[in-house]
Amino acid sequence: MNQQGSRYPRLFAPLDLGFTRLKNRALMGSMHTGLEEAENGFERMAAFFAERARGGVGMIITGGIAPNEEGGTGAKLSTPEEALQHRKITQAVHAADPEVKICLQILHSGPLVAKEICVAPSPVKSRIGRFKPNELTEEGVEKQIADFANCAAMAKLAGYDGVEIIGSAGYLISTFLVQKTNLRTDRWGGSWENRMRFAVEVIRRVRATVGPEFILVFRIAAMDMLENGLAWDEVVSLAKAVEAEGVNIISTHFCWHEAPVPTIATMVPRAAFTQVTGRLRKEVGVPMITSNRINMPQVAEDVLSRGDADIVSMARPMLADPELVLKAAQGREDEINTCIACNQACLDHTFGGRKQVSCLVNPRACNETLLQYPPAARPLRIAVVGAGPSGLAYAHVAALRGHRVTLFDAAAEIGGQFNLAKRVPGKEEFHETLRYYARMMELHQVDVRLGTSVNAAMLVAGGFDQVVIATGITPRKPEIEGIDHPMVIGYIDAILERKPVGRRVAIIGAGGIGFDVAELITHAGKSASLDIEVFAQEWGIDFRNHPRGGVTGVERRVAAADRLVYLMQRKIDPVGKTLGRTTGWTHRATLAARGVQMLNGVEYLRIDDSGLHALVNGEPRLFELDTVIVCAGQMPLRTLYDELSAAGVATTLVGGAFEAAELDAKRAIDQACRLAAQV
Ligand code: NAP
Ligand code: SF4
């Protein structure tokens, strides 16, 4: 065992697979990065994975690669020429640390492939698929199996240590397993034995092709979250069958992409699903991988101590911090840049059609060759004004490069808007980001001056070489008659509970903050993100009895809000359309279940003692209210910038002070890091 990792004895225990050994139990799970199809993608992936290998993981699974043309929208691996490209990745990883294993994920997306040639056991269109798939003929089924085996052979040729075959999530293999997507009456459909034949045959053929000394991982939908999805005895029998065919490791997955249950978003409690892996682990002999919302070493250690799994998979946390495992081993947990499960720069990009993935808290993720933080050629004295996300990010990168940074903020604590976000139920992970930045300021000796309002004269007198204005935003005050009425309050006062909120409330503005405020004021009891039982009740999951899919026939139990809330916007678009692609629907569903009324097409006329007078889609309406909360976006706060400009001092603007419209932390941090990388 790595002596330094003794705080996490289970995480740092090696795992013997017979013919090979994993140096620890930390796995970097598969994530599509978008680099597979990018220019110089293989060089960039080589750098991306090698950085994670140096960062201490025991094993890496690549993003999904299709075994043939019909199996994927992006990259495929079916020829020796393609295998040669992958050698760049495997060589870089093994050069970084010869003990680290890297496996290729073979992903045949079946009906989710965005091409007309997509295939499936039956012509059943997925709710999230683009085309109705072509039904595979008997020969077609045989071809797909042969292509899986060929892809595995090419992975071996490319120098991978193994392959993971994904049998979950709505991709090809899982559509054979589930009744609603497999309507066949031949030997590939009908009875359970027939429906699982394809998965078992793929494993058998792959093992026969690659030989015994090649890691073979099968990813199983241990709880697929589908109404009428897999029954528990089917999950167990599939796990036993693939084990019998020579799988070395089984990895548990908890989703179909179209299932209406969040499984990785920030409102999901940490390690919420590992208990399911623990149950399956009792049924099979091979090591089990668990995953989902395991983002810190102690969470991983606890999962392993409970006996829920043998290996812990962390995918997004490795985007956020490539050195997570190394820092755990060296007792530097407080330096871990924790994944906050926001999905904003990773999965929202993948599923929103933006190819390239990165990370909100670490813009270097997937940009390792392009965004670097080299030591500064000439250390400067830099003043950063504003300790919100952009100011912190700028100060951090500039200071780690060797500049001498002074960070000013009038507030008593660092964090800016993050101090609002962390108070919203389901967004508790923002505490981690603030802990990380506080530690980075300390580590890189940033001179942090809180409770300090600076003016232009002070900055000029300070003799700084560079002044960075990260003063952020000020909430927009919409021009509505009666906006100064005592019943009207701003979102900052509402979130910080500085002003009372009554029983009948209208929220003006349904952007990210309008939704956050609605969540905060309709929430009762313990945050579901902190309690697995409450989470399970709210989303209708039965962990104990495991009906089909874990959800079949289970009612959602969401406590209705004890106040009447209207969430309003002027646009006629559906309310919540601007929220994150992979998480927006969860917020809409939760608020709807609590009885929040979401209204679009609202024209605000007047606020007076009787309430809010408005036109809703042209119809006059009076909302009798106790409180109106304004969440109508922001304006840049540039007073200091204007003063300095007038005094002829050159400054750099970052974050909300630069551009407030549709600002989010992703853009603010990204911009700040890129600017600080060049100073
Ligand atoms: P926002 O997303 O720009 O939303 C502002 C809302 O106010 C919109 O619904 C807009 O809708 C309304 N509005 C704008 N001007 C108005 C006016 N003059 N009068 C009345 N209503 C007006 O801003 P935000 O909600 O303050 O969020 C700020 C940023 O933080 C956003 O970029 C957001 O993505 C980010 N954020 C993200 C999350 C998240 O969970 N991802 C959470 C919080 C914040 P109409 O114009 O249709 O009325
Ligand atoms: Fe995690 Fe958000 Fe970064 Fe994705 S973008 S890796 S969810 S912190």
Side-chain angles (χ1 to χ4, degrees):
M1 190 185 78
N2 183 333
Q3 213 183 357
Q4 289 171 307
S6 56
R7 280 184 67 179
Y8 310 104
R10 289 167 186 84
L11 186 61
F12 286 98
L15 180 65
D16 189 0
L17 294 176
F19 63 94
T20 191
R21 190 186 92 124
L22 306 187
K23 69 172 187 171
N24 61 40
R25 310 302 180 97
L27 169 83
M28 175 176 170
S30 177
M31 277 213 76
H32 192 75
T33 60
L35 297 178
E36 295 82 355
E37 299 93 31
E39 199 184 333
N40 299 324
F42 282 90
E43 287 75 13
R44 292 176 65 184
M45 274 191 284
F48 169 73
F49 287 121
E51 195 160 314
R52 273 77 194 159
R54 279 191 295 276
V57 287
M59 182 156 89
I60 293 170
I61 311 273
T62 67
I65 301 288
N68 54 24
E69 277 295 341
E70 61 272 34
T73 312
K76 73 168 177 66
L77 173 57
S78 60
T79 66
E81 294 72 36
E82 287 161 348
L84 206 58
Q85 292 285 322
H86 284 263
R87 278 209 160 263
K88 294 174 188 158
I89 297 175
T90 56
Q91 284 171 349
V93 166
H94 292 141
D97 183 344
E99 275 201 286
V100 174
K101 310 296 174 215
I102 178 160
C103 299
L104 177 100
Q105 187 188 70
I106 306 180
L107 166 65
H108 189 311
S109 298
L112 300 185
V113 173
K115 294 179 190 167
E116 278 179 275
I117 55 166
C118 66
V119 296
S122 304
V124 179
K125 186 179 171 303
S126 162
R127 184 171 64 79
I128 57 168
R130 200 144 144 220
F131 297 103
K132 189 178 188 181
N134 300 287
E135 179 172 337
L136 285 163
T137 60
E138 177 81 23
E139 299 73 50
V141 172
E142 285 296 331
K143 175 186 181 299
Q144 302 309 313
I145 296 170
D147 288 347
F148 270 98
N150 174 59
C151 183
M154 292 301 114
K156 196 171 179 186
L157 186 66
Y160 286 104
D161 300 288
V163 289
E164 174 178 270
I165 292 174
I166 182 157
S168 52
Y171 300 129
L172 183 69
I173 294 178
S174 58
T175 55
F176 273 90
L177 298 169
V178 169
Q179 279 167 326
K180 74 167 187 167
T181 49
N182 185 346
L183 312 177
R184 299 177 78 99
T185 52
D186 60 4
R187 68 195 187 103
W188 304 105
S191 68
W192 169 243
E193 282 64 33
N194 283 353
R195 281 184 281 126
M196 77 169 181
R197 189 184 310 281
F198 184 79
V200 175
E201 201 55 38
V202 166
I203 297 300
R204 180 181 301 150
R205 269 331 151 88
V206 167
R207 177 52 85 203
T209 305
V210 295
E213 301 203 342
F214 193 65
I215 301 170
L216 181 46
V217 184
F218 182 71
R219 194 147 207 216
I220 192 169
M223 194 180 245
D224 59 29
M225 306 292 154
L226 279 185
E227 198 73 21
N228 295 318
L230 291 189
W232 179 243
D233 57 352
E234 292 173 343
V235 173
V236 172
S237 94
L238 177 60
K240 288 184 170 171
V242 293
E243 179 181 21
E245 295 299 341
V247 152
N248 303 104
I249 302 172
I250 293 176
S251 177
T252 45
H253 206 188
F254 307 101
C255 86
W256 263 48
H257 290 309
E258 63 185 86
V261 178
T263 54
I264 57 169
T266 190
M267 82 272 285
V268 177
R270 290 174 169 187
F273 294 93
T274 66
Q275 55 185 303
V276 182
T277 316
R279 251 198 340 271
L280 191 55
R281 185 166 176 256
K282 295 196 180 87
E283 303 281 351
V284 291
V286 291
M288 302 282 308
I289 301 173
T290 196
S291 63
N292 290 38
R293 292 285 286 117
I294 300 168
N295 61 350
M296 287 296 277
Q298 192 60 54
V299 185
E301 182 71 12
D302 292 346
V303 165
L304 296 168
S305 321
R306 284 199 299 271
D308 280 357
D310 301 282
I311 300 169
V312 165
S313 169
M314 292 174 274
R316 295 172 300 167
M318 298 295 171
L319 287 181
D321 195 333
E323 294 191 330
L324 184 153
V325 180
L326 190 65
K327 288 175 180 173
Q330 296 174 344
R332 298 192 287 132
E333 299 81 350
D334 56 353
E335 295 175 29
I336 291 174
N337 195 2
T338 306
C339 167
I340 57 173
C342 64
N343 288 356
Q344 280 177 252
C346 54
L347 292 169
D348 281 350
H349 283 207
T350 305
F351 290 101
R354 284 182 62 175
K355 297 252 169 195
Q356 162 95 52
V357 159
S358 188
C359 172
L360 179 144
V361 299
N362 174 26
R364 278 199 75 242
C366 301
N367 292 313
E368 285 74 13
T369 58
L370 305 175
L371 178 57
Q372 289 170 348
Y373 305 145
R378 187 172 70 88
L380 302 175
R381 286 191 66 231
I382 300 177
V384 179
V385 186
S390 61
L392 288 167
Y394 192 103
H396 171 216
V397 173
L400 76 82
R401 294 188 53 225
H403 294 299
R404 284 158 55 211
V405 180
T406 307
L407 177 63
F408 298 98
D409 202 300
E413 57 184 349
I414 62 164
Q417 298 285 306
F418 277 4
N419 288 312
L420 301 179
K422 75 183 184 190
R423 302 173 76 98
V424 176
K427 295 199 164 180
E428 295 84 3
E429 294 287 3
F430 278 97
H431 285 282
E432 296 284 9
T433 309
L434 292 168
R435 180 263 308 146
Y436 168 74
Y437 275 123
R439 177 69 185 120
M440 289 302 108
M441 297 303 107
E442 188 179 60
L443 190 68
H444 299 294
Q445 296 168 8
V446 173
D447 179 4
V448 181
R449 308 233 186 126
L450 296 173
T452 309
S453 291
V454 281
N455 56 34
M458 288 161 74
L459 290 168
V460 171
F464 294 101
D465 300 309
Q466 184 94 22
V467 176
V468 178
I469 303 294
T471 43
I473 49 86
T474 184
R476 177 183 287 122
K477 186 173 171 183
E479 289 179 13
I480 301 170
E481 188 184 332
I483 195 73
D484 292 318
H485 190 279
M487 80 164 70
V488 182
I489 66 173
Y491 67 83
I492 298 176
D493 285 337
I495 294 175
L496 297 179
E497 295 176 15
R498 292 196 300 217
K499 292 196 176 157
V501 175
R503 295 273 149 221
R504 300 166 304 169
V505 183
I507 298 173
I508 290 185
I513 292 186
F515 268 81
D516 276 357
V517 167
E519 165 68 37
L520 187 70
I521 66 171
T522 57
H523 172 84
K526 202 166 176 188
S527 175
S529 51
L530 300 177
D531 187 314
I532 295 174
E533 287 286 317
V534 177
F535 168 74
Q537 280 172 19
E538 287 201 353
W539 290 97
I541 306 166
D542 185 347
F543 282 117
R544 272 185 207 89
N545 301 305
H546 200 127
R548 279 191 177 276
V551 296
T552 304
V554 186
E555 289 279 307
R556 287 187 65 186
R557 277 187 285 151
V558 182
D562 63 356
R563 47 168 64 102
L564 174 63
V565 176
Y566 302 96
L567 180 55
M568 303 172 163
Q569 68 179 30
R570 298 170 303 176
K571 286 186 285 290
I572 51 166
D573 291 344
V575 175
K577 196 177 168 200
T578 56
L579 301 180
R581 170 92 179 193
T582 61
T583 53
W585 63 272
T586 62
H587 299 301
R588 286 192 293 272
T590 302
L591 294 186
R594 289 190 194 147
V596 172
Q597 298 191 27
M598 294 174 228
L599 302 173
N600 51 6
V602 181
E603 188 183 333
Y604 312 107
L605 299 177
R606 183 171 83 254
I607 299 164
D608 60 24
D609 288 347
S610 50
L612 169 65
H613 303 260
L615 297 177
V616 180
N617 295 313
E619 293 292 317
R621 210 168 143 186
L622 168 64
F623 296 91
E624 294 181 3
L625 302 168
D626 305 306
T627 311
V628 173
I629 306 176
V630 177
C631 305
Q634 292 92 13
M635 312 288 285
L637 198 53
R638 286 198 193 147
T639 322
L640 186 58
Y641 170 77
D642 293 340
E643 275 180 40
L644 285 163
S645 301
V649 179
T651 56
T652 305
L653 273 173
V654 293
F658 175 78
E659 169 74 80
E662 292 176 11
L663 174 79
D664 60 15
K666 178 179 74 175
R667 203 176 84 205
I669 293 175
D670 184 85
Q671 184 202 27
C673 290
R674 285 174 195 281
L675 288 171
Q678 290 163 11
V679 66

